[in-house]
Structures are given as C-alpha cells and as structure tokens.
Amino acid sequence: MGSSHRFGLGLLAALCVSASVAAEQIEIDVLTGRAVGPVRLPDGAIAYTGPGQEFSKLSLSRDGRLAACAGADGKVYVYDVRNKLAAAGVVPSDKDERADAEQVRGVAFAADGQSVFTAGKEGVIRQWSVPEGKLLKRLPGSVGAVSALLLTPDGQRLASSDTTGVRIWDVKTGQQIGHLTGHKVPTEAFAGLEINEDVEVNINVEMTGLQIDALAFSSDGRVLLSEANDETARLWDAATGRELRVLPDHDGSVASVALSPDGSLGVSTRGNRMNSLFGTHDEDQPIGGRLRLWEVASGRTRHVFLGHRGDITCVTFSPDGRYVLSGARDRTVRQWEVDSGIELRRFAMASEPVAISCSADGAVAFTVSTGEGLTEWNIAAPPLPNQTNVPSLDKAWEMLGSSEFSDRTAALRHYLGLGNGAVADLSRRLQTPAGSDAELAQLRKWVEQLADANYQIRANAYEELAQRGQAAREVLTGALRSPVAEVRLRATALLSAIGGSVDCRGVLVCEIFGLLKTAEARAELARIAGAGLPYSAHGRAVLRRAK
C-alpha cells in the first residue's frame, strides 16, 4: 500500500494500479495529483482504472503495450498497460468532429500502434494520431450508425458494420473495397408477438433494424465472421465478399464472436430473443449464457460452454487457441479450456463487462465494463479461493471431478497447499487402471438397455450407469455416437451429471502441476504431455506456459 506509481498525462480522473490481488490502493486524481481515498481492486485484478468509469469498446495495439477504450463521454482513452500508466486521451481536435465523437461505437488500433480508428453514430470512420489526437483521415460512405470496427491482423484492411451490412476498407487508400450484405433486417422477430395490453412496451426503432455488433477476422485476414440481430452468425470470404456459411439460431443483440488464431474454430453466443428486444434479462433463464464452439470447416458444434447466468456480452480466444474467455451480464469473466469445455477460472465484477481481449503471452485478460473502466485480470494465477471444506484426499479427488466449479476450485486449491505431496497422490490416481473386461462389458450392456422396449429395464440401466459415475464416462462418451436417439439423449444427460465427456480431473491435474512449479511437478507434467491422453494437449500448453 505504501508504493507509489507514476502517471503519464491523461484525461482519466483516476487510475488505480496494483501488482497484488485484491490489494487496497489509494485512488489518485491525475489532474491534481491528490489522493482521493482508498479503494479495493476486484479479486483477481492486477490493475484497473477505478470504479465509476464507463467504457464500451476495447482495442489492444499489436505489441500489447497500449489499450484504447471508448468512453461514455465520447472520448477515446489510451492506456500504457505494460507500464501501468495513464496515457493521453484521443480527443477530436476539430470542433466540427465533436458531434459524432459523442457516440463512439467502434475503436481499432492501426498496425503501427501510433493511431486509432473510431466510428460513431453518423457512420463516419476517422483515424486519429496517438497521443496528439490529430485527425489523420476520414473514410466516407457508411450508411447509418457504425456498430463495430475491426482491422485485419496485418493492418491492411478495416471492416466496419452498419445497418446495410459489413464494409471492407483499404486502410492505405481509404477506399471501400467490399460490401457484405447477407444479413437481413430481422422483422420476423416480431411475428406473432403478443403483448399484454396492461403493460406498456416501448420498442426502440433501432432495435427493429439490422444491427451487426460483432466481427472477427481469421489470423490471415481471409475469413471474416459476423453476428447480427437476424439471429445468425455468418462466415465470409473477406477478399471476394462470398458468403461461406450461415450458422442460425443466434441473437446478435447481445452477441459476440471470435475465431481461433489458426482459423479452425469459431465461438459465438446465443442470446434470449425476448430479453434482448425489450432490454431486460432474467438471471434464472440463462439461455443467453450459452457459448457455442464450432468447427469452421463443417459448422459442426463441438462444445456448448454452460455456466454464465445471463447473456454473454463478449468473447475472445487466447493467442495459442487453447482457451476461450468470456464476459456476461451476470458480471463474471470466465476462462474455458477448448478441448474439454471445462471452466478453469472465474472473476466476479461489480458491473457488466462489454469487451474482452487477451495479452499476447496469454497471461492476462483485459475487460472494459459499464462501471469499472479498464480492468486487467491475472489468468496465469491459481483460481480464486472459496470456503468449501475438503476433509481428505479421497474427497479432494472426488471434488476435482465435480460438475460444480466451486467444488473443483476448492479441490485444486487444497492440492496446491500440499506442495509436492500432491504430485505423488495425483499421479497415482491418474494411473488407476480402467475396469476389467467384465466390468466394461456390463457397462456397455447397460448402455444398450437405455433403449430397451421395457421401461423398467431402461430405468434400471440408467440408474446403474448413474451410480458408476466417473467409471462409466468412457462408454457413455462412445454412446454419443449411437444410431439410436434415445441412447444418445440419455448418455448426454448422464455425462452432464458427471461433468462432461472429458474427465476434467486430468485437465485440472495439469493445471495443478503447472502452478506448483516444482521439479517433480514439471516432470509429471512432461510425462502427461507426451502420453497421448485426452488431456495431453492441455498438458503441453501448461508446460509451455510454465517456462
């Protein structure tokens, strides 16, 4: 608490920084240099700009040094996140530009990190120098408000979305070189809508028009993913404008999308249509909390990440493609492991995160929110502790495989407290052999009986498999490929009860060994990484991260 921090010139009223988790800091007004009172960082945060700051968009420079945030006051603030400094805000220098700047709806760093592109309500895209805030270029031609901006990774082309579709711009010339128009105005969303006459409902006209809030480029810039309020996500050939694939059943009003760095996977949200139309959400109806991971080549869904208790508002991949990070209206930020779909970390916020990005090394995540400004989260640290009691190692092992995040976290923290004592125990348990041939044959027989014509036989088989829990995971995973729909349905329900088709304990053991940082833990992690197990790929990722 006694350490001091340098602040660069800036327009932000307060910037609180800390290298510790949940440490009490002194909030400082950078305009006067005076301390204005103690504050407490959110648990798991490394640094943030303090309570009361409202940002809506976020863009990181390619070198990861600067973060540009669109403020509710119409200004774009730029921060030196590497050195924890408040840098100069980008403010329109020409009085004639200020009207549009009051509604900053998109912000994107240029490739050189020396300028940012912004767009607003009037549909004009502008390029500003950093930190002078000098207007460098104006791109004309958009129709209606621009709702999203995104540069290709090489910085040569810029995508912007408006009420007519997605436009592609040549950054060097400022000329429009493409117009993607497959998204349609979602008028069918109101078909058959019955409104109680006793309840007055005010529908904003803008909600009834096309709105494309989310864009994502592949790493080579050749493929673009967009998601709109016509309840679809669409893949495009960014060079030709050809529509490659339509993924239905998405509500773009609360949507976000991302493509993995290698371009093989996409992730997108599915919101609650009624909630999004009328600006409300119900914490007990988490349909908007579903995050779908799918294969770009086929469109086939690989995982549905479940856990958020509210519409998901932002999502991104880690630079190595091993993790997905998401934020939602339930005021949480979560990290998911791609191969298994397991939730690894969770951070609680006081306000809703609306944009998220990840550092180049994958060690930290950045969010902007409606009340906490820019926050930096430590996603390389152990998950945050909870108060669940773990009475024994047998109980810890059981809880490590639980479908409940709080149980898994408590068990992981318990093992970390044992140091090298955890290495021997976990290694022994992971090597526990599968059941005998007779036991496996019996499990397979019960799986077949899930579709028996006799109800009592079906019910008994289901109960027997449920009692076997983790031991039945392998045969139940195989049952997902059964040609019989009833078998697939019941196998899915049983797998959900034990935490999914991949044993999360293997993934979490890799996490534990990586966090222990001892020679013994590293040796076991290396063994897992080369063993050809379902969680070996995660072991290799943790091993790289631990270097």
Side-chain angles (χ1 to χ4, degrees), residues 230-245:
D230 63 356
E231 300 187 17
T232 69
R234 298 173 189 253
L235 279 169
W236 311 83
D237 184 316
T240 66
R242 182 170 63 93
E243 187 176 273
L244 303 176
R245 179 168 290 108

Side-chain angles (χ1 to χ4, degrees), residues 90-106:
V90 177
V91 183
S93 57
D94 185 337
K95 184 178 180 180
D96 294 338
E97 305 292 343
R98 290 186 181 276
D100 195 40
E102 292 175 1
Q103 295 282 344
V104 178
R105 300 188 176 191

Side-chain angles (χ1 to χ4, degrees), residues 197-212:
E197 293 181 357
D198 296 329
V199 179
E200 181 180 353
V201 178
N202 180 22
I203 301 178
N204 191 311
V205 175
E206 187 175 337
M207 291 184 181
T208 66
L210 181 64
Q211 188 168 338
I212 305 171

Side-chain angles (χ1 to χ4, degrees), residues 12-55:
L12 183 64
L15 177 66
C16 304
V17 296
S18 172
S20 60
V21 175
E24 187 177 87
Q25 295 293 311
I26 297 296
E27 185 176 6
I28 297 185
D29 186 326
V30 297
L31 298 181
T32 65
R34 297 176 181 174
V36 295
V39 294
R40 188 174 180 85
L41 273 68
D43 288 346
I46 299 172
Y48 85 141
T49 57
Q53 297 300 324
E54 184 175 351
F55 294 145

Side-chain angles (χ1 to χ4, degrees), residues 57 147-150 161 166 183 211-217 224-229 232-234 236 252-258 267-269 313-315:
K57 300 288 182 178
S147 53
L149 280 181
L150 186 67
S161 63
V166 180
H183 286 291
Q211 188 168 338
I212 305 171
D213 287 328
L215 301 171
F217 271 116
L224 178 70
L225 173 63
S226 62
E227 190 169 19
N229 60 341
T232 69
R234 298 173 189 253
W236 311 83
S253 61
V254 294
S256 187
V257 293
V267 65
S268 51
T269 66
T313 55
C314 51
V315 66

Side-chain angles (χ1 to χ4, degrees), residues 22 35 67 102 154 223 238 271 277 280 291 306 319 350 409 415 470-471 476 504:
E102 292 175 1
D154 63 7
V223 175
L277 286 177
T280 63
L291 193 59
L306 299 175
T409 303
Y415 276 115
Q470 304 281 352
L476 289 172
C504 63

